[in-house]
């Protein structure tokens, strides 16, 4: 999935709903929303790969606390744990999440966002030097790109950028480290 996923949590978020929220890139929560893993309190092991995902979001000790206890926690604690990035009033939840989505859609390069997502998720368990080499490759790929030129021009001219959308073929959205880099003219590097 090359596009950012944004969650807006209002009310109870448990089980598969929690897993769905956690696979999103950015999570908003309404003040008063409540979260739980609940599995151990129902005599279950962690389902739907939550024991894999949760430590990557909130850290090992916090994940173990939540998974072992199955306790309920609110949106403010979820923010403290890093499970959500923003807590807003319930009546502002969808507006805040939509405003964020509009802002990145309007001001960020779709290609750059796709590669950044791939870098973050793809490099989570990669050695530092390998991730660094991949980031250099990505920077080289983007350095002379139309998106970079447009990003700089829009900054200098103090206007909104006009980035191209993602191409329909999936090979152009994969980061350069996973395929051969190609220039705008289709020449291999």
């Amino acid at each position: 999935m090359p596009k950012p996923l944004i969650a807006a949590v209002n009310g109870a978020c448990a089980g598969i709903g929690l897993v769905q929220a956690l696979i999103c890139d950015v999570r908003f929560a309404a003040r008063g929303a409540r979260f739980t893993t609940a599995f151990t309190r129902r005599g279950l092991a962690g389902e739907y790969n939550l024991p894999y995902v949760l430590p990557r979001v909130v850290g090992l000790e916090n994940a173990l606390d939540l998974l072992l206890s199955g306790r309920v926690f609110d949106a403010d604690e979820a923010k403290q744990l890093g499970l959500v990035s923003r807590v807003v009033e319930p009546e502002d939840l969808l507006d805040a999440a939509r405003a964020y989505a509009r802002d990145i859609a309007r001001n960020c390069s779709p290609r750059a966002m796709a590669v950044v997502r791939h870098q973050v998720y793809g490099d989570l368990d990669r050695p530092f030097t390998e991730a660094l080499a991949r980031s250099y490759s990505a920077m080289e790929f983007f350095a002379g790109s139309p998106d970079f030129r447009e990003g700089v021009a829009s900054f200098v001219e103090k206007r909104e950028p006009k980035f191209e959308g993602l191409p329909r073929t999936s090979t152009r959205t994969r980061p350069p480290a996973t395929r051969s880099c190609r220039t705008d003219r289709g020449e291999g590097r």
Side-chain angles (χ1 to χ4, degrees):
M1 166 75 68
K3 296 180 182 179
L5 299 174
I6 302 165
V9 178
N10 190 5
C13 188
I16 189 69
L18 179 57
V19 174
Q20 289 175 325
L22 289 177
I23 62 172
C24 291
D25 303 307
V26 178
R27 290 168 293 282
F28 289 74
R31 191 165 313 284
R34 297 170 55 86
F35 300 81
T36 184
T37 61
F39 303 121
T40 56
R41 293 186 181 226
R42 304 299 166 257
L44 293 169
E47 296 179 305
Y48 309 111
N49 220 16
L50 189 60
Y52 177 85
V53 175
L54 192 59
R56 286 166 166 74
V57 175
V58 300
L60 184 61
E61 183 177 347
N62 289 327
L64 283 167
D65 167 32
L66 299 175
L67 289 165
L68 293 172
S69 71
R71 67 185 177 81
V72 175
F73 55 102
D74 66 12
D76 290 320
E77 185 177 356
K79 170 80 167 90
Q80 289 175 325
L81 292 169
L83 195 134
V84 300
S85 58
R86 291 162 182 80
V87 177
V88 298
E89 295 304 319
E91 61 273 11
D92 299 328
L93 178 64
L94 289 179
D95 288 341
R98 287 177 180 145
Y100 179 84
R102 273 191 303 276
D103 178 62
I104 65 174
R106 186 177 293 132
N107 295 302
C108 300
S109 158
R111 283 188 178 101
M113 285 191 294
V115 170
V116 165
R117 285 184 83 247
H118 198 287
Q119 286 176 297
V120 168
Y121 294 118
D123 291 344
L124 276 174
D125 295 321
R126 200 177 302 280
F128 174 80
T129 54
E130 192 176 327
L132 182 61
R134 288 168 48 89
S135 74
Y136 287 153
S137 178
M139 288 300 294
E140 180 184 338
F141 178 75
F142 278 97
S145 73
D147 278 0
F148 177 70
R149 289 191 298 272
E150 175 58 19
V152 171
S154 66
F155 176 77
V156 170
E157 297 167 13
K158 296 179 177 24
R159 61 170 173 80
E160 285 186 3
K162 296 179 183 90
F163 295 115
E164 294 179 24
L166 288 173
R168 295 213 182 267
T169 61
S170 62
T171 59
R172 294 286 296 187
T173 61
R174 290 194 331 240
T178 62
R179 61 177 175 81
S180 64
C181 293
R182 301 184 71 76
T183 66
D184 295 330
R185 294 177 305 279
E187 301 166 9
R189 286 197 240 163

